[in-house]
Amino acid sequence: MHFSIPDTQELGSSPTYTAYNIHINGVYHCRLRYKQLHSLNEQLRRHCGGVNLPAFPPKRLLPLTNGQLETRRSSLEQYLQMVGQDGRIARSAHMQQFLQRAQLDTALAEDMVTSDCEEQQLEVQVYTSPASERLLVSCSVQQNAGALLKAVCQELQLPEDLTRFFCLFLVRRMRKTDEIHLVRRLMDFESPYITRLHVQPCDLLLRTCYWDSGLDAKLTGSKVALNLLYNQTVADVSREWVVICSPGVGRQLSSLQQQGRSREYMELVRQLPSYGCLQFDEAEVDYPEPNTMALVSIGNKELSLRTSRGAKIYETKFRVTRMRSWRVSVTHNPLEARLEPTHLQLAFEYLIAKQTLRWITITSGQAMLMSVCLQAMVDELLNRGGAGKADPSSDDEHDQPAVTSSSSTPSSTSSTSTWASSTCSASTASSTPPVRFLSEDLAPRSKQQPRFTSRTFGAVFFRNDGADNGARVSNEAFEGIGDDDL
């Protein structure tokens, strides 16, 4: 979880109290008082035995000055970041229930809902056809994402053991192009109904949630699951999220689709290099040079950048096993902190060549989601028993005329095909290694202008070395690289 507390609110009257606005994964979640967070800390200490919790900011007897309030806000933010980095705590029932209840209580206090027993109907887009259809599902406002997912899958008559391969996303449909933009994956600590109210206008969408395309085989034994996977893939191909390498392959896929041969269609499309890759909106990157606009995609153990140079499009691939670390920088304007962050950047430290590391930065409103995707991809690599070795490659970048080539580090390919439409998705694995979040103030403050606060979160995997006290944040999968890979 990415926690941040960009600002506070003074609420109540005679006396007033300070409420802390809690953001999770870049989205406003709830507001909490110090005593509520103190109560959470006490619960975790009682019920999470064997886990070393970080120090909690101490109580004070006298009213706090403005400087002391800022210190407490920063300390509470660091505390939550440290708690969220430990998967044992983040996935514990006490943590999940606390966050879910806090969101509901905040919604009640802000008159977003009238009762915690309030019943609502939510429309969920499901891929029962390539265009997706709307399924109306009844739910309680206190129902979390997992419960709603189960209800949707039951409506579709999807076998219960296959529910874990799907998840719910918040999506935003673009009016001009009718394209969908994936905003975020819903988690079990939140109410889909309330979260949707915070990020309107948004819809709910059912999609697969795994990165390893080999898991497709788990779904093909069920007619319902195969139909959902097939229609989702047809929709991705039509939006050019899956890039067709040649006209011949495109004609074959169209023919198989017209004949309704879903299994043969899936077998063919799985051979395409971009199958299983999830695309994001166009973003500004500093590679190969500053102020470059690129389409970002993540999948197949890689992060790819597609850039335009004249009439051609070049794709540069960065393997996740060569990312030593990455971080997300978030800048909030406290006057509008309840809205989306004003500035987001994802930066990753990449092994360009032997003994050569370089930071590469992506400026995008979806930077937080990209970080979650990278984290989930590494989860799957580690859960399969190790990062494994990448294909041998040269030290230097070079351009090649074939879109299917991926032999450089970072690999770069060119194509004259049109740019694919944009989207993204995130997934989480069942077992998440610890993630360390670093926070630092980067933006200057001015009395004449709104105060902007900047936070940096290193959402990467690390090993407690003891010697450096966790100061170095590193990707566990990075250790799978040997000299032969370079």
Side-chain angles (χ1 to χ4, degrees):
M1 298 181 193
H2 297 259
F3 280 98
S4 64
I5 307 178
D7 68 338
T8 61
Q9 291 177 271
E10 290 298 318
L11 301 175
S13 58
S14 300
T16 61
Y17 62 89
T18 301
Y20 299 87
N21 292 326
I22 311 296
H23 290 237
I24 305 179
N25 294 342
V27 174
Y28 173 74
H29 184 76
C30 63
R31 68 187 187 203
L32 293 170
R33 300 179 65 172
Y34 171 87
K35 67 179 183 181
Q36 291 173 292
L37 290 168
H38 185 274
S39 175
L40 169 65
N41 178 65
E42 294 300 311
Q43 291 180 47
L44 294 178
R45 292 192 181 280
R46 285 196 302 269
H47 299 288
C48 295
V51 178
N52 291 324
L53 288 169
F56 190 82
K59 292 182 177 180
R60 291 182 179 272
L61 297 178
L62 299 177
L64 302 183
T65 64
N66 290 339
Q68 290 172 331
L69 281 173
E70 172 59 20
T71 299
R72 174 175 281 184
R73 182 206 61 76
S74 178
S75 298
L76 289 172
E77 182 179 65
Q78 292 179 14
Y79 169 83
L80 289 175
Q81 290 166 5
M82 294 291 288
V83 166
Q85 80 184 15
D86 193 318
R88 295 168 297 176
I89 302 176
R91 291 190 299 271
S92 69
H94 294 91
M95 187 70 172
Q96 298 276 319
Q97 291 169 8
F98 175 87
L99 293 175
Q100 186 181 351
R101 186 68 218 184
Q103 184 188 44
L104 179 58
D105 288 343
T106 300
L108 288 167
E110 296 176 348
D111 296 324
M112 298 179 68
V113 296
T114 58
S115 167
D116 56 4
C117 298
E118 183 179 330
E119 292 288 329
Q120 293 286 345
Q121 286 192 320
L122 286 175
E123 286 186 343
V124 181
Q125 298 181 40
V126 294
Y127 282 112
T128 49
S129 70
S132 78
E133 298 177 354
R134 294 182 180 272
L135 180 69
L136 198 61
V137 182
S138 297
C139 72
S140 166
V141 295
Q142 61 179 305
Q143 196 171 34
N144 70 1
L148 181 61
L149 173 64
K150 185 176 181 180
V152 172
C153 291
Q154 287 177 344
E155 287 284 338
L156 295 171
Q157 298 183 347
L158 181 73
E160 186 175 352
D161 62 319
L162 299 182
T163 301
R164 63 190 177 95
F165 295 104
F166 293 86
C167 61
L168 294 171
F169 288 91
L170 279 177
V171 302
R172 191 168 289 141
R173 189 172 293 277
M174 306 303 175
R175 294 182 179 179
K176 293 183 179 180
T177 61
D178 202 39
E179 292 293 334
I180 62 170
H181 162 91
L182 292 178
V183 177
R184 61 177 298 185
R185 176 184 170 176
L186 292 171
M187 302 295 186
D188 282 346
F189 58 78
E190 59 190 333
S191 159
Y193 177 79
I194 297 174
T195 300
R196 180 173 172 269
L197 292 178
H198 286 311
V199 292
Q200 286 280 35
C202 270
D203 296 319
L204 294 169
L205 175 69
L206 180 75
R207 278 187 68 96
T208 52
C209 63
Y210 52 86
W211 293 90
D212 183 2
S213 59
L215 294 176
D216 286 354
K218 301 283 187 180
L219 305 183
T220 54
S222 163
K223 184 177 180 180
V224 174
L226 175 61
N227 186 54
L228 290 171
L229 177 62
Y230 166 70
N231 286 314
Q232 174 185 296
T233 305
V234 170
D236 289 352
V237 170
S238 67
R239 296 187 181 104
E240 297 181 348
W241 296 356
V242 178
V243 179
I244 305 301
C245 297
S246 68
V249 173
R251 287 192 293 269
Q252 283 182 273
L253 289 174
S254 295
S255 176
L256 292 172
Q257 181 182 349
Q258 291 172 3
Q259 297 174 44
R261 298 164 62 183
S262 57
R263 292 183 185 275
E264 292 87 344
Y265 184 99
M266 292 302 304
E267 289 175 3
L268 178 59
V269 79
R270 267 195 291 267
Q271 299 175 23
L272 299 176
S274 57
Y275 178 74
C277 292
L278 303 169
Q279 294 189 35
F280 296 77
D281 294 342
E282 188 178 32
E284 181 181 312
V285 301
D286 62 358
Y287 188 92
E289 57 188 26
N291 304 318
T292 298
M293 300 306 296
L295 285 181
V296 182
S297 65
I298 294 177
N300 296 328
K301 306 177 188 178
E302 297 170 333
L303 182 150
S304 299
L305 300 179
R306 260 187 281 173
T307 58
S308 176
R309 304 179 202 170
K312 291 186 176 181
I313 294 174
Y314 292 82
E315 184 173 37
T316 306
K317 297 182 178 180
F318 302 90
R319 294 172 185 157
V320 69
T321 50
R322 296 189 182 180
M323 295 179 186
R324 186 167 74 168
S325 62
W326 70 83
R327 61 173 181 254
V328 179
S329 300
V330 185
T331 303
H332 284 279
N333 176 1
L335 298 180
E336 300 177 348
R338 295 283 295 276
L339 304 178
E340 295 181 0
T342 57
H343 189 73
L344 280 165
Q345 285 186 333
L346 170 73
F348 58 90
E349 189 180 21
Y350 193 75
L351 189 65
I352 293 287
K354 190 173 183 179
Q355 304 297 325
T356 304
L357 287 161
R358 172 176 170 176
W359 281 98
I360 296 170
T361 302
I362 301 171
T363 302
S364 168
Q366 295 172 308
M368 192 72 75
L369 192 52
M370 292 177 191
S371 175
V372 172
C373 290
L374 290 174
Q375 176 181 327
M377 193 187 310
V378 173
D379 281 342
E380 288 196 1
L381 285 170
L382 297 176
N383 289 340
R384 288 205 300 266
K389 287 183 178 292
D391 296 333
S393 64
S394 64
D395 289 349
D396 301 322
E397 176 191 358
H398 60 277
D399 295 335
Q400 299 179 352
V403 74
T404 56
S405 171
S406 59
S407 59
S408 62
T409 306
S411 64
S412 179
T413 61
S414 65
S415 169
T416 55
S417 61
T418 57
W419 284 39
S421 303
S422 59
T423 186
C424 63
S425 80
S427 66
T428 55
S430 57
S431 177
T432 305
V435 181
R436 178 170 295 284
F437 299 94
L438 305 177
S439 177
E440 57 186 51
D441 287 338
L442 302 177
R445 298 178 182 176
S446 170
K447 294 182 179 180
Q448 283 75 29
Q449 298 178 355
R451 187 190 68 176
F452 288 80
T453 58
S454 179
R455 313 271 179 255
T456 299
F457 308 102
V460 294
F461 304 88
F462 77 102
R463 178 182 62 252
N464 282 322
D465 296 328
D468 65 6
N469 197 27
R472 164 66 76 180
V473 188
S474 60
N475 177 1
E476 287 283 1
F478 184 81
E479 296 181 348
I481 298 174
D483 290 343
D484 292 342
D485 296 306
L486 301 174

